Structures are given as structure tokens and as C-alpha cells.
Amino acid sequence: MRISLLISLALFGAPAALSATRLCPGQEVAPLPDGRMLGHLPYEQVQPEQLVRAPAGFAIGGECLLRREVVADLERLLAAARAAGLGGAVRAVSCYRSVARQGAVFCGQIGPRKRARDAADRARSVGPPGYSEHATGYALDFGTRPSPRCHDVSPCFAQTPAGRWLIAHAPDYGFELSFPAGNAQGVSYEPWHWRWVGGSLAVPGAAAARTTFTRARASFPALPAVSDNPARALSPTPGFNMLR
């Protein structure tokens, strides 16, 4: 189904409308006046030479590529999970995705008898190409093995031992939950999707990561989040329910 979400700038004091972008065949959508697309913020694609492979055995299925600085903290996180008795339970479902790959993931499930009826529907759970944190090399989707009665990238991940451990401890290793329940972006609750921003500005690469996510962190706070005040970072915000 062809859709056109042309938003009038007149509502914001400007005389013209934004032009539509062709996201997928038959799916033309105009960005919001603030630059977002269907609620998602724009992100640039990381250069391939800045990516390295995640630890062996971490990925489920295809390889997991991330920025080198992310992998350093990820290795520490996985070691802590093993020490907590989780063994190899904490795994990766998806890591870096190019803009082209994101387009295939986004558009491939739009249409009859698929997961979404149109681009707006699909954007509730997947970022449009050019608007996904995965392109930055800082974000990944966690999963778990074994995972009886809970499919990958499902809200029930928060109730698994791996999911509960990440919610309690991932910020200690520089990771924060991008899309908590009730988030203002209107994105579905994603307890599996985490972005790395470093535990402090002193961590190599953290300044660049935090610059990349400056707008997201200011306007659409993560929860749990990395903060210089850990108690505040883990405090529920009205309307948010991490374990719904």
C-alpha cells in the first residue's frame, strides 16, 4: 500500500512541506520537521575499516562486527556474565548493519502476509535505512541460548536470565538500552537493543560515541542508561516500565 506522510511545516511556522523519501517500493515518507523519519533519528554509516569481529562464539548465525572500542567493553561484559554463572547464554543476534542491509531488513517485511502493512507500521520495530543505530557500529541486539519459549528480538527477552542480567549490569560496561518501554520515539519496547557509549568520557572512543548519540540521549533518554550518577540512570521515569 502506497503511503504519503507529508508533514506541513506550516504547523511549525514555515510555509512549505518537506519532500517525501522513497524508503521501499510503494512507500514514500516525508521526514519530520526535526529530521526524524517515522520517529527514528538519522545516523551515518561507520567506515568498514573501523569495524572488527566480536569475540568468537558470540554471534548467533552470521558474524558480528562492531567498532573496536565496543568490543573491548563487550569482552569485559561477557567475562562478567560468565562469572555470574551465565556461561555462553549472552549472545548476539545482530550487530553492525550497513544502510543497504538495513533497507533489506526494513522493506523485506512490508506487505500482505508479512509483519507490517506499510512503512509506518514497520518503523515501530525497525529503523528505516539511514535511521538505524546499527549503522554506527555502536549498537547490537543481544539474544540468549538456549531460549525456550522466547524467540529472538522479543519483549520476553527481558525475563530471561541473560536479559535480566543485562538490565542490571550492562551500563557498568558502557551499554544503555536505546528503546525502553513507553519511549517518546514511539518505538516498540526493545530490551534486546543496546548501544555503547562508554562507562565514562575517559574510556577510549566514548567521546565519539556520545557525540553520535547526543540528540538521542538528550531528547529520548535510554533506560537503563550510562550516567555519572548510576542511581539516577537506573531510576524509572514516569511512563517507563522496563519489564512490562
Side-chain angles (χ1 to χ4, degrees), residues 59 90 129 147 179 181 189:
V90 180
S147 57
F179 305 114
Y189 174 43

Side-chain angles (χ1 to χ4, degrees), residues 82-100:
R82 288 192 297 271
L86 289 173
V90 180
R91 304 286 294 277
V93 174
S94 183
C95 301
Y96 162 76
R97 292 201 293 261
S98 68
V99 172

Side-chain angles (χ1 to χ4, degrees), residues 41 43 176 195 197 206-221:
L41 294 163
Y43 292 102
E176 55 186 25
R195 64 184 177 225
V197 296
R210 293 183 184 204
T211 296
T212 297
F213 299 116
T214 294
R215 188 175 168 199
R217 301 183 85 216
S219 301
F220 308 103

